């Protein structure tokens, strides 16, 4: 992937995240309700946002992952991100990940963004399987996944150790053969 692909939906431009977006990323990554189900602690300084953006962009440059900034067309600021990581090209699969600033929750924003990147994943990246790992208590995320076509496959008991406890994960998957263009 030589050039970062910019995607557009009805309300959003999904674009590459830059250091200029650090303040936006920091603002919502510093909130415990955003990081509650995320594999990072809540941010306490802007440098953490800068480092996260740098990691996302380095992974893109190495063709290991792609993370888009979700920006409202009406204002060019990042209100969340979404993308693919855990990309296993030889198996035609990747894992999806996303987060959104709380003031935009429950408005269909993440559904709209995820539908676009799923389309990109199947049609442009050649993925056959897109996976998602979600903590059972993360009802909002589970609802979004089911709304866009993911199916629950099971629970991975004590799948990882985080914040001094073993954490279960529900595994979801979306297969290309089940994908219907909207």
């Amino acid at each position: 992937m030589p050039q970062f692909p910019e995607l557009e939906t009805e309300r959003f431009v999904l674009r590459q995240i830059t250091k200029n977006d650090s303040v936006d990323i920091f603002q919502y990554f510093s909130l415990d309700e955003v990081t509650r189900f995320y594999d990072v602690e809540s941010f306490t300084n802007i440098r953490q946002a800068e480092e996260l953006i740098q990691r996302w962009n380095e992974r893109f440059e190495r063709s290991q992952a792609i993370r888009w900034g979700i920006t409202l067309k009406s204002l060019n600021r990042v209100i969340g991100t979404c993308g693919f990581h855990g990309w296993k090209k030889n198996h035609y699969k990747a894992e999806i990940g996303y987060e959104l600033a709380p003031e935009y929750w429950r408005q269909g924003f993440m559904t709209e963004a995820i539908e676009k990147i799923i389309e990109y994943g199947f049609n442009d990246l050649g993925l056959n399987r897109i996976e998602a790992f979600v903590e059972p208590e993360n009802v909002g995320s589970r609802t979004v996944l089911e709304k866009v076509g993911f199916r629950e496959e099971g629970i991975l008991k004590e799948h990882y150790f985080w914040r001094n406890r073993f954490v279960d994960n529900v595994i979801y998957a979306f297969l290309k053969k089940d994908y219907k263009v909207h």
Side-chain angles (χ1 to χ4, degrees):
M1 291 183 288
Q3 186 176 352
F4 196 96
E6 191 169 281
L7 307 176
E8 197 171 314
T9 71
E10 185 181 329
R11 297 183 282 187
F12 308 117
V13 172
L14 306 179
R15 62 160 174 83
Q16 187 164 23
I17 306 160
T18 70
K19 190 175 180 178
N20 295 336
D21 300 310
S22 298
V23 171
D24 296 334
I25 299 281
F26 172 75
Q27 283 179 334
Y28 67 81
F29 263 98
S30 64
L31 304 173
D32 290 340
E33 67 257 44
V34 172
T35 61
R36 177 176 174 207
F37 298 113
Y38 215 88
D39 63 350
V40 297
E41 297 288 344
S42 295
F43 289 177
T44 55
N45 66 67
I46 194 80
R47 183 77 190 123
Q48 292 167 293
E50 293 168 354
E51 290 167 358
L52 182 61
I53 292 167
Q54 183 178 342
R55 271 195 313 274
W56 282 336
N57 285 322
E58 286 171 357
R59 289 179 185 157
F60 172 75
E61 289 166 15
R62 292 192 304 262
S63 294
Q64 295 174 328
I66 184 168
R67 194 77 173 203
W68 286 273
I70 303 169
T71 64
L72 287 166
K73 286 181 178 176
S74 57
L75 41 117
N76 185 25
R77 63 179 274 271
V78 173
I79 64 166
T81 74
C82 59
F84 299 112
H85 57 277
W87 192 7
K88 302 206 177 3
K89 294 179 189 132
N90 57 326
H91 295 293
Y92 303 90
K93 71 177 183 174
E95 186 180 329
I96 195 170
Y98 46 85
E99 85 288 324
L100 191 64
E103 61 264 34
Y104 299 102
W105 290 359
R106 292 185 257 317
Q107 298 174 51
F109 285 15
M110 192 52 74
T111 300
E112 183 177 328
I114 287 176
E115 285 176 338
K116 191 64 176 181
I117 71 166
I118 288 169
E119 174 187 313
Y120 186 83
F122 287 139
N123 296 336
D124 295 270
L125 294 180
L127 297 176
N128 181 63
R129 177 183 170 90
I130 301 172
E131 297 176 333
F133 296 89
V134 184
E135 289 186 37
E137 304 82 30
N138 192 345
V139 176
S141 187
R142 294 178 72 173
T143 301
V144 167
L145 290 169
E146 291 166 5
K147 192 184 297 184
V148 300
F150 280 78
R151 294 197 176 122
E152 181 180 329
E153 293 188 330
I155 297 178
L156 302 169
K157 301 301 247 174
E158 299 182 2
H159 190 228
Y160 61 93
F161 189 75
W162 177 242
R163 295 182 180 166
N164 295 315
R165 67 183 180 95
F166 290 100
V167 180
D168 293 346
N169 267 164
V170 180
I171 182 168
Y172 283 86
F174 198 161
L175 302 179
K176 185 171 186 173
K177 68 182 182 184
D178 299 326
Y179 177 70
K180 312 273 188 293
V181 179
H182 302 288

